[in-house]
Amino acid sequence: MDQMFSKKRGILFSLICVICFGIAPVPTMTASAAAVRYVNQTTGPYTSVTAALNASNTGDVIEITDSKVYYESFVVGPGGRNISSLTIRGREGEQPAISGEGSSGAVIALQNGGCIINNLTVYVGGALYGISCTGAGNTIEGVSFDNHIAGTGNTFCINLTQSTNIRNCNFLGSPSVNGGGILANTSVPITLQVYRCDFWGTGTVGGMVGMGLAAGSTASISQSCFAAPNSPNTIFALNSWGSGTINEYVNTFRNVNRAVAGFNNNTPHSTDV
C-alpha cells in the first residue's frame, strides 16, 4: 500500500511540474557499480593488463585469472590511464606475475591515489623500480618482489614519495649496488606502514637495503623479518637518513646489520638470530 501511494505521489508531482512550470523533474541518478575486468592470456576477455587498464575507469577492478607471466609495464595516472582507486589483483588460488624485463622506469607506476595491488609477483628485471607510488594512500598487499636479476645500481622493489601501506609482502634481494626493498625518498614527510613483510638479502656487492627512509618521514614496521642467509652483514635491515624516524615492533633480524640513524626499537620482543 505504501509503495502504491509513493508511486502515485511521484506521478502527481511530475504532472504538477509540467502543468505549472512547463518542466519535467530531473530523475534521480544512482552511482554506477565498479566494473571487474578479467585478464587471462588464453581465455580473455582481456589478454593483457594494459588492455584492461585502458578500458577501466576510476574504482574498477582488474583481476588476473591465470598464473602466467605478463611482460609489460603500465602507469595509473597522468602518464598513462589517468584514473584512481583502481584495484589490480590476482585471482585467489592463482599467482600471476608482472615482469619488468625491458622496462626502464617502473614496472607498475601508481601516480594517482587510492589504488590496491594484491596477490601478484613482480619481477623487477631491468626496471628501476618494481612499483613506484607517487600517489597518496595506495596499498600493496600480498605481493612478492623478485629483484634478484636487477641491473647494476640503485634498483628497488618499491619506490614511494607518498604515504603508503605495505602488508604481507616478500622481498628477494638484489645483487645491485645500493639496491633494495623499499625506498622512501621524498622532500615531503610521509607516513609508511609496513606489516608482516619478509626481506631476504642475497647480494654480495652493496647488498640490499631492507628499507630506506628520508626527509623527516616516519615509518612503522612490525612483525617482519630481515635476513641475509648467504651474505653476513651485506644488508642494512633498516636505514634512515635525512632525520627520518623508523619505529619497529616485534621484528626478527637474522645475520644483518642495523646501521641506522633515527632508529627506535620500541619493544624488547624484536630478536636477532
Side-chain angles (χ1 to χ4, degrees):
M1 181 66 70
D2 291 341
Q3 291 179 347
M4 182 178 296
F5 176 75
S6 177
K7 183 177 181 180
K8 288 181 178 179
R9 185 172 58 184
I11 294 173
L12 179 61
F13 175 74
S14 298
L15 289 173
I16 292 173
C17 288
V18 173
I19 294 171
C20 297
F21 305 105
I23 59 173
V26 178
T28 302
M29 302 300 291
T30 57
S32 58
V36 180
R37 306 185 188 278
Y38 297 102
V39 178
N40 188 295
Q41 290 187 13
T42 303
T43 63
Y46 299 96
T47 57
S48 71
V49 179
T50 301
L53 175 61
N54 289 338
S56 295
N57 299 301
T58 291
D60 284 357
V61 175
I62 296 175
E63 181 171 294
I64 307 173
T65 62
D66 59 14
S67 295
K68 301 291 182 64
V69 178
Y70 289 78
Y71 294 93
E72 54 185 306
S73 59
F74 45 86
V75 178
V76 182
R81 182 63 172 169
N82 194 10
I83 58 178
S84 59
S85 300
L86 178 74
T87 296
I88 302 176
R89 69 192 184 202
R91 173 170 287 182
E92 186 176 353
E94 304 288 346
Q95 189 64 45
I98 312 293
S99 175
E101 187 175 335
S103 303
S104 58
V107 181
I108 302 173
L110 302 178
Q111 296 176 347
N112 288 340
C115 297
I116 299 172
I117 306 297
N118 177 249
N119 191 34
L120 298 174
T121 294
V122 175
Y123 294 115
V124 180
L128 190 58
Y129 307 118
I131 298 178
S132 175
C133 293
T134 54
N138 292 307
T139 298
I140 303 170
E141 184 170 13
V143 177
S144 295
F145 293 89
D146 189 339
N147 198 17
H148 187 262
I149 58 173
T152 57
N154 297 319
T155 63
F156 284 84
C157 298
I158 298 176
N159 173 67
L160 53 94
T161 61
Q162 296 286 346
S163 298
T164 305
N165 295 313
I166 303 171
R167 301 192 292 260
N168 299 305
C169 292
N170 297 310
F171 299 84
L172 178 62
S174 169
S176 67
V177 177
N178 293 324
I182 301 172
L183 174 65
N185 190 8
T186 171
S187 60
V188 179
I190 64 173
T191 299
L192 174 63
Q193 299 285 341
V194 179
Y195 176 68
R196 286 190 174 178
C197 293
D198 292 329
F199 299 80
W200 293 85
T202 59
T204 57
V205 181
M208 173 184 172
V209 177
M211 185 171 69
L213 185 70
S217 299
T218 299
S220 294
I221 181 162
S222 60
Q223 298 186 42
S224 296
C225 176
F226 296 80
N230 300 322
S231 322
N233 295 321
T234 60
I235 75 173
F236 295 96
L238 301 173
N239 191 26
S240 172
W241 66 96
S243 69
T245 300
I246 295 175
N247 299 308
E248 66 97 4
Y249 308 84
V250 199
N251 298 294
T252 300
F253 301 91
R254 181 181 179 86
N255 211 21
V256 300
N257 176 21
R258 284 181 284 176
V260 180
F263 178 88
N264 295 322
N265 187 330
N266 291 287
T267 170
H269 300 297
S270 291
T271 58
D272 291 277
V273 295

